Amino acid sequence: MVHHSGSIQSFKQQKGMHTSISEILKEKSLKPSRRSLPCLAQSQTHPINLNHFLSVPLSPEPKPEVEGLSQSISTSCSLLPPQTAEDGKDHFVEESEVSTCEARADESFLLQKPVTRAKLEARTASVQGKNPTDSSGLFFRDGKKRIDYILVYKKSSPQVEKRCTFEKNLRAEGLMLEKEPSLTNNDIMFVKVHATWDTLCKYAEQMNIRMPFRKKCYFTDWKSKTLGSRFHLRCRQIKSWLPRNPMKLDKEALPDLEETDCYTAPFSRARMHHFTINNRETFFSNSTRSRIVHHVLQRTKYEDGKSKMGINRLLGNSTYEAAFPPHEGGYKSRHSIKTHGAQNHRHLLYERWARWGMWYKYQPLDLIRRYFGEKIGLYFAWLGWYTGMLIPAALVGVFVFLYGLLTMDASQISKEICEANTTIMCPMCEENCEPWTLSDSCVYAKVTYLFDNGGTVFFAIFMAIWATVFLEFWKRRRAELTYDWDLIDWEEEEEELRPQFEAKYSRMERVNPISGKPEPFQPFSDKLSRLMVSVSGIFFMISLVLTAVFAVVVFRLIAMEKFASFNWHFVKKNWQFATSGTGVCINFMIIMSLNVVYEKVAYLLTNLEHPRTESEWENSFALKMFLFQFVNLNSSTFYIAFFLGRFAGRPGKYNKLFSRWRLEECHPSGCLIDLCLQMGVIMFFKQIWNNFMELGYPLLQNWWSRRKMKKGGGGGQNVENKAQLPQWDKDWNLQPMNAHGLVDEYLEMVLQFGFTTIFVAAFPLAPLLALLNNIIEIRLDAYKFVTQWRRPMPARATDIGIWHGILEGIGVLAVITNAFVIAITSDYIPRFVYAFKYGPCVNKRHHHGNECLQGYVNSSLSVFDMGELNNRNHSGYCRYRDYRAPPWNTVPYEFTLQFWHVLAARLAFIIVFEHLVFGIKSFIAYLIPDMPKDLCDRMRREKYLMQEMMYEAELEHLQKERKKNGKRYHHEWP
């Protein structure tokens, strides 16, 4: 046994590894340093975590010590398939211990029975997406080299020379290539790309990729072993009695992603012995491997010349048709995940995230980040956080709505309107319209009260504060994620220039102040002129939106006149609903059709600016799309909120549009119901349309691709069973992620956030609609990413980019608009002024709310003499909504004192409300630190321990070297 352990150790030293059986056995007997432990629980890239690697010789005779050790961890132990070295002389197999959490996923695997080596190997191979007998499209033909990237080209493409040079240079960079024809199309050829260990190490060092090297031991650990232990034990006991949170994912369902439990440092080949390299095949995760290969593809030349490099340019000039990392296998299995475990990470994501049955569960963010990269992981983290924060907002909104519903019959204003059988209202038009009684609009008044009641002001203040709390707590959540995902010290690499930018400005050069290399340069005058053209285009499109809104306004004026004089009594009685309903529907159709135009215009204007890098292009495009769609979506809402009924004039002297159509006026119960109807219809239909387009369109496209494939339309083999296709062929037939990346996903949610906060005083059910939509949206997006789209390149990011600034801007705008909605659109201020200045409670000390509003409707209606109209059919007096003097006054139809009191109160309310809410928002933002205190302490502690960790690792390495050379050594700590 001594001989074998010695051979193992010497082999490990040759291979740069430092964990052998003898060392582990001795390590168990020694008391380790509290400050540092080897990170043996390093998370791997496969669903069943393969940890604690041991090296054993492939000898037919079992060694007792090794057997005893493997039995001691038999509850969670499996063997890796043979890992042969690149030189083919490796006679060792690496054995691994599966993390206990994931092992629990398979009940059959929990049983402590002796498991044969062959069964374990077959099981582990199937988990890795590799059948022991065939490669199933994830490996080269030899079944050993993992495919890290797929390039696709057409045999008929004329760019043969560029492709050959590019592939030759890729091989020179250390990548291995293997070509494979498509089974579905004879013209398509796939190039499988594999990065060797040396290439991965070289570029991981260049890209400063942080890799795990020590397990984290927090300085607070001692607390659990001393005074607080009994308290914590009691808390755990009480918690165990409580019912389990149904939203949490089962621990057995997901692998124990312990990568965050390790200290990480930028990878270095010179200090390779510091890192926990238990298995070269799984040390770099699949997403990291793909990122490294993408980095190489972006920087490899295909022709002589400064800018003649990169896969993006080759995709642009049709040398290649596509380039993408492969999915890790199929997302469905014939066997249950509970009994057989997950086939691969894609299958695991589908079963535990993308299925509709998981709608109430938390998202497995670590697994999403592992598979799709940090940028997409942050999007889903933000979407999940926003959805969770909508729950209290939706509940408060529902309570405000229910309060209106329960007190609707007790409303004094509704009672007065419904009982006003003798109150004659002035005709809606001057020719064919008849006077109508106020009680005809009883239903309209009651529905208005649902959304315009005492809870409205409270809810508007609540939502303004909610928006601040949401953004402040998101900053804290983001800080935790960037720490857990090891992005704290990560800085965006110097981005490569866009090919279009280089092609345009290749003649003008200047030295890059960061890299010190010459690069194309855009003169300031050229940049300014292009920016001016772009801004002009934006203003032109915004003016087009306003024109469309004006057209809808004209339609409403015509419709109002027609419905008010309609022959059908039901329509004539409910002309307000008919006018608003048809106006909103036409407005919605205009909004959706203009959105298509805006996307194309925004794309053209952004390209016209010639942004320098991809991130600059994305930010510029995102800002334009937001401006266009925000104005498009909200302009008609702003018109209804702040202009409808404000300039209507009075009977006998109505203001008319084009001297033909009189302007709309508000109903006697207020204008808020029009605003509420506008918001409800647009929000509901837009969300349904977006969700259909998000899922329906890719489903239809993929169905069409499969249909063509079955017919053998591409000239290839007629493949009946899709399961027979290799993974690269299946991925090629999926849709690529849209060219704008996550812009469309963020845009939809940010516009919804605007709708939820900006006019929330008019529509308290908006947060509820947003919450229901987002629960569907998360699973729709998950389903789309996992099943309908090719795997996107796993990109890194530390935040949500330009969208955070836009969200803060919406939060500020929401306070201002809600102040104006309550003061101007709703009748809250006129009712308040009447109750405390003109109502029956002015001189009373004790009074009830409804008593003080007695006579309010009569007070808010002015009198008009119909004899002044040209129409001789009408005579007598009629009422209209305004604060004007009666016709028998010395100054008829002038504004009364009450009008000026209401106006002053409205302006005062706007100032007080804005200052109060902005003050509360600022105070809350000050109170909530951007980073949790315990996280700050942890990060500072880590910085303190970093140097000691590196020193200890170096010391351990020296001690092993001494022991290997037979020198005496003492187990001392510095």
Side-chain angles (χ1 to χ4, degrees):
M1 182 60 203
V2 175
H3 167 73
H4 280 295
S5 64
S7 65
I8 292 166
Q9 189 175 353
S10 62
F11 170 75
K12 286 283 187 178
Q13 295 293 346
Q14 289 167 14
K15 292 293 178 185
M17 302 180 188
H18 54 276
T19 310
S20 70
I21 296 167
S22 59
E23 287 163 7
I24 288 178
L25 289 170
K26 285 180 180 178
E27 223 169 336
K28 286 178 185 287
S29 62
L30 289 171
K31 187 178 180 182
S33 162
R34 200 178 78 233
R35 288 177 297 173
S36 66
L37 288 169
C39 183
L40 295 174
Q42 178 197 349
S43 175
Q44 303 304 320
T45 59
H46 305 300
I48 291 184
N49 276 333
L50 309 170
N51 304 326
H52 300 274
F53 287 84
L54 316 170
S55 289
V56 295
L58 274 176
S59 169
E61 299 174 11
K63 302 292 179 287
E65 287 89 345
V66 176
E67 197 168 32
L69 180 62
S70 64
Q71 282 175 0
S72 72
I73 55 172
S74 64
T75 55
S76 58
C77 185
S78 75
L79 297 176
L80 277 176
Q83 304 290 340
T84 54
E86 286 167 21
D87 56 4
K89 295 178 183 177
D90 193 347
H91 298 296
F92 293 84
V93 172
E94 291 179 325
E95 190 178 307
S96 70
E97 176 184 335
V98 181
S99 75
T100 52
C101 282
E102 178 50 27
R104 272 186 249 123
D106 190 352
E107 292 170 11
S108 64
F109 203 47
L110 269 172
L111 303 174
Q112 296 189 10
K113 293 179 181 176
V115 186
T116 64
R117 186 187 183 96
K119 282 182 183 176
L120 284 172
E121 281 188 353
R123 175 168 178 75
T124 309
S126 68
V127 164
Q128 292 179 346
K130 176 181 174 182
N131 193 307
T133 54
D134 73 312
S135 64
S136 77
L138 295 175
F139 294 83
F140 275 30
R141 292 191 198 103
D142 62 5
K144 296 172 186 174
K145 298 183 188 71
R146 179 172 291 278
I147 300 171
D148 297 316
Y149 226 85
I150 301 285
L151 304 177
V152 187
Y153 70 86
K154 285 185 176 178
K155 296 176 189 173
S156 56
S157 169
Q159 310 279 11
V160 180
E161 193 177 336
K162 289 178 183 175
R163 189 169 61 247
C164 289
T165 308
F166 184 68
E167 289 173 8
K168 180 183 171 186
N169 291 339
L170 287 179
R171 288 190 181 94
E173 289 289 339
L175 298 182
M176 302 181 80
L177 309 180
E178 186 177 79
K179 295 193 177 181
E180 200 82 48
S182 170
L183 295 180
T184 58
N185 191 329
N186 286 336
D187 194 30
I188 294 294
M189 186 67 83
F190 297 102
V191 181
K192 298 178 282 186
V193 184
H194 167 77
T196 61
W197 172 252
D198 290 337
T199 308
L200 290 170
C201 291
K202 173 186 166 186
Y203 280 99
E205 188 172 4
Q206 277 187 25
M207 295 165 71
N208 280 327
I209 292 176
R210 300 178 72 87
M211 300 305 292
F213 72 102
R214 288 278 153 175
K215 189 170 182 179
K216 291 177 183 173
C217 293
Y218 304 124
F219 68 102
T220 52
D221 284 356
W222 63 272
K223 290 180 183 176
S224 61
K225 297 174 186 174
T226 55
L227 298 171
S229 59
R230 288 179 186 174
F231 174 73
H232 286 300
L233 187 65
R234 190 61 54 84
C235 287
R236 276 199 292 271
Q237 282 178 345
I238 294 168
K239 202 173 179 182
S240 66
W241 298 334
L242 295 172
R244 203 172 149 277
N245 184 354
M247 294 171 76
K248 281 189 177 178
L249 284 157
D250 303 331
K251 279 279 182 90
E252 305 86 41
L254 289 170
D256 188 14
L257 302 173
E258 291 184 16
E259 199 173 80
T260 52
D261 288 343
C262 303
Y263 284 112
T264 58
F267 186 77
S268 166
R269 285 178 290 177
R271 294 188 171 188
M272 202 179 284
H273 53 273
H274 287 183
F275 297 91
T276 318
I277 306 174
N278 298 315
N279 178 8
R280 289 184 174 189
E281 290 300 313
T282 54
F283 178 63
F284 293 105
S285 68
N286 286 349
S287 57
T288 305
R289 294 173 72 103
S290 298
R291 204 151 49 84
I292 290 171
V293 172
H294 182 75
H295 179 87
V296 178
L297 292 173
Q298 291 281 48
R299 285 156 180 79
T300 303
K301 288 195 172 187
Y302 58 85
E303 270 183 14
D304 290 333
K306 288 176 187 174
S307 61
K308 304 290 185 180
M309 68 164 76
I311 188 66
N312 285 354
R313 290 177 186 79
L314 292 173
L315 290 170
N317 61 28
S318 299
T319 304
Y320 289 100
E321 296 298 310
F324 51 88
H327 275 297
E328 291 181 9
Y331 64 88
K332 284 188 178 177
S333 172
R334 287 175 295 173
H335 307 294
S336 168
I337 194 169
K338 289 181 180 176
T339 55
H340 288 72
Q343 287 183 329
N344 51 62
H345 269 165
R346 190 185 183 200
H347 179 216
L348 190 63
L349 277 169
Y350 176 75
E351 289 290 338
R352 301 300 178 200
W353 180 48
R355 280 194 311 115
W356 291 109
M358 295 284 115
W359 67 270
Y360 62 95
K361 296 282 190 184
Y362 293 134
Q363 299 181 87
L365 292 176
D366 286 331
L367 196 61
I368 296 166
R369 167 249 180 168
R370 179 75 56 81
Y371 195 82
F372 291 112
E374 285 80 1
K375 193 172 185 180
I376 291 171
L378 270 173
Y379 163 70
F380 281 105
W382 176 82
L383 181 55
W385 185 255
Y386 170 44
T387 305
M389 288 292 287
L390 277 171
I391 294 172
L395 286 174
V396 176
V398 169
F399 284 136
V400 169
F401 178 76
L402 289 176
Y403 167 77
L405 193 66
L406 294 172
T407 58
M408 183 167 61
D409 292 330
S411 164
Q412 181 64 31
I413 296 161
S414 299
K415 276 182 186 175
E416 289 186 11
I417 290 176
C418 292
E419 293 168 3
N421 296 320
T422 57
T423 305
I424 304 297
M425 300 297 292
C426 296
M428 295 307 299
C429 56
E430 294 175 4
E431 294 177 6
N432 302 319
C433 299
E434 297 291 328
W436 53 285
T437 55
L438 184 57
S439 59
D440 289 347
S441 61
C442 176
V443 176
Y444 205 78
K446 284 185 175 181
V447 173
T448 300
Y449 180 78
L450 285 177
F451 302 100
D452 188 3
N453 53 59
T456 304
V457 179
F458 159 74
F459 191 53
I461 295 172
F462 171 82
M463 286 304 291
I465 295 167
W466 173 87
T468 303
V469 170
F470 160 63
L471 288 173
E472 290 302 316
F473 274 101
W474 164 247
K475 288 179 191 173
R476 290 166 66 86
R477 176 69 177 138
R478 188 193 70 82
E480 289 171 358
L481 285 172
T482 50
Y483 173 79
D484 287 342
W485 293 354
D486 212 24
L487 296 166
I488 294 287
D489 297 324
W490 181 77
E491 290 181 9
E492 211 160 320
E493 297 171 33
E494 179 64 14
E495 279 194 273
E496 66 167 15
L497 302 177
R498 295 183 77 239
Q500 295 88 334
F501 181 85
E502 285 189 326
K504 179 74 178 174
Y505 301 106
S506 57
R507 293 181 184 178
M508 305 173 199
E509 286 189 346
R510 75 163 184 185
V511 175
N512 185 311
I514 297 163
S515 64
K517 296 176 182 176
E519 67 174 21
F521 167 68
Q522 184 180 18
F524 177 75
S525 57
D526 182 75
K527 191 173 186 176
L528 186 66
S529 60
R530 288 178 179 279
L531 201 61
M532 292 300 291
V533 172
S534 182
V535 169
S536 304
I538 291 169
F539 277 113
F540 172 75
M541 291 309 293
I542 288 173
S543 63
L544 189 65
V545 177
L546 299 178
T547 307
V549 171
F550 181 72
V552 172
V553 170
V554 173
F555 168 80
R556 285 176 66 111
L557 300 183
I558 298 168
M560 179 185 74
E561 206 170 279
K562 297 296 179 189
F563 287 136
S565 59
F566 211 71
N567 292 329
W568 191 9
H569 178 70
F570 176 76
V571 175
K572 189 174 183 179
K573 187 179 177 182
N574 298 290
W575 62 267
Q576 295 106 328
F577 280 119
T579 305
S580 297
T582 51
V584 169
C585 291
I586 287 174
N587 189 34
F588 174 74
M589 287 189 280
I590 291 172
I591 285 171
M592 298 315 293
S593 54
L594 283 178
N595 276 352
V596 179
V597 179
Y598 293 153
E599 189 171 339
K600 296 188 185 327
V601 172
Y603 196 80
L604 285 170
L605 291 176
T606 309
N607 284 336
L608 182 72
E609 289 174 19
H610 284 300
R612 186 172 164 273
T613 60
E614 283 297 333
S615 62
E616 284 180 21
W617 188 95
E618 195 173 296
N619 284 345
S620 177
F621 180 74
L623 190 61
K624 287 183 186 64
M625 284 298 289
F626 171 74
L627 283 173
F628 287 162
Q629 295 218 15
F630 182 80
V631 174
N632 189 26
L633 200 62
N634 292 293
S635 51
S636 55
T637 317
F638 269 91
Y639 162 74
I640 289 171
F642 305 127
F643 298 102
L644 179 68
R646 309 282 162 236
F647 313 103
R650 61 172 180 83
K653 198 179 179 183
Y654 281 119
N655 296 323
K656 293 187 178 182
L657 188 67
F658 305 132
S659 303
R660 169 69 181 87
W661 298 290
R662 55 168 283 200
L663 297 178
E664 276 185 278
E665 59 182 325
C666 290
H667 183 262
S669 59
C671 277
L672 205 69
I673 189 64
D674 288 291
L675 181 58
C676 175
L677 192 68
Q678 172 86 8
M679 286 188 63
V681 170
I682 288 180
M683 196 169 181
F684 180 74
F685 283 114
K686 191 174 190 301
Q687 288 180 348
I688 288 177
W689 175 257
N690 284 345
N691 289 336
F692 170 75
M693 286 304 292
E694 274 195 24
L695 186 63
Y697 188 61
L699 276 172
L700 285 171
Q701 285 181 311
N702 289 334
W703 171 80
W704 185 251
S705 298
R706 287 196 300 273
R707 189 169 175 273
K708 284 203 299 185
M709 203 164 65
K710 282 180 181 176
K711 288 186 172 181
Q717 302 168 26
N718 191 350
V719 182
E720 289 296 328
N721 187 4
K722 193 186 174 187
Q724 295 173 359
L725 286 175
Q727 191 60 45
W728 52 82
D729 244 325
K730 291 177 188 173
D731 287 357
W732 166 244
N733 288 310
L734 294 176
Q735 296 305 309
M737 186 176 172
N738 58 42
H740 313 140
L742 291 168
V743 169
D744 290 344
E745 314 297 331
Y746 275 117
L747 180 65
E748 183 186 344
M749 288 297 106
V750 169
L751 287 172
Q752 186 209 75
F753 177 79
F755 237 59
T756 308
T757 52
I758 290 176
F759 291 106
V760 78
F763 190 49
L765 293 179
L768 178 66
L769 280 180
L771 174 64
L772 295 174
N773 174 75
N774 286 10
I775 290 169
I776 298 168
E777 177 75 24
I778 288 174
R779 304 304 155 182
L780 270 181
D781 283 349
Y783 184 81
K784 187 171 62 180
F785 272 95
V786 174
T787 70
Q788 299 303 307
W789 278 358
R790 291 176 200 155
R791 188 176 181 178
M793 207 289 289
R796 302 202 93 185
T798 54
D799 54 25
I800 59 173
I802 196 172
W803 299 107
H804 192 274
I806 290 173
L807 287 169
E808 287 188 326
I810 289 174
V812 171
L813 183 64
V815 177
I816 299 166
T817 49
N818 279 311
F820 275 88
V821 165
I822 295 166
I824 294 173
T825 315
S826 84
D827 272 6
Y828 177 78
I829 299 300
R831 289 199 299 263
F832 185 83
V833 170
Y834 178 80
F836 290 96
K837 181 70 178 171
Y838 297 96
C841 299
V842 173
N843 298 318
K844 291 182 183 177
R845 289 189 179 182
H846 303 289
H847 49 75
H848 187 265
N850 275 342
E851 289 177 11
C852 300
L853 288 174
Q854 284 179 3
Y856 167 75
V857 173
N858 188 54
S859 167
S860 65
L861 297 176
S862 300
V863 181
F864 175 71
D865 183 4
M866 287 191 284
E868 296 180 25
L869 293 174
N870 296 329
N871 195 335
R872 295 176 185 176
N873 297 330
H874 305 314
S875 60
Y877 295 109
C878 66
R879 310 296 296 274
Y880 62 98
R881 179 185 161 90
D882 211 339
Y883 295 105
R884 290 180 184 266
W888 54 82
N889 196 292
T890 51
V891 190
Y893 307 123
E894 280 297 310
F895 289 118
T896 61
L897 186 62
Q898 190 175 349
F899 170 82
W900 298 110
H901 282 160
V902 169
L903 182 63
R906 280 176 163 159
L907 295 175
F909 176 84
I910 289 169
I911 294 165
V912 171
F913 181 90
E914 283 184 6
H915 281 70
L916 175 70
V917 176
F918 277 132
I920 295 171
K921 278 169 73 79
S922 303
F923 183 62
I924 288 172
Y926 171 75
L927 281 182
I928 303 172
D930 289 353
M931 194 175 284
K933 186 180 183 301
D934 64 325
L935 183 61
C936 286
D937 293 342
R938 222 183 301 168
M939 287 169 61
R940 286 159 71 184
R941 176 66 175 169
E942 268 192 35
K943 284 181 181 177
Y944 170 75
L945 287 176
M946 268 300 193
Q947 293 299 322
E948 289 188 38
M949 285 286 182
M950 290 297 251
Y951 184 62
E952 284 181 12
E954 199 66 48
L955 190 71
E956 282 180 22
H957 183 58
L958 288 170
Q959 287 170 347
K960 286 177 187 174
E961 286 291 325
R962 284 181 182 180
K963 188 181 174 185
K964 179 186 167 187
N965 297 332
K967 295 179 181 178
R968 289 182 64 192
Y969 100 101
H970 302 285
H971 193 81
E972 296 174 354
W973 295 111

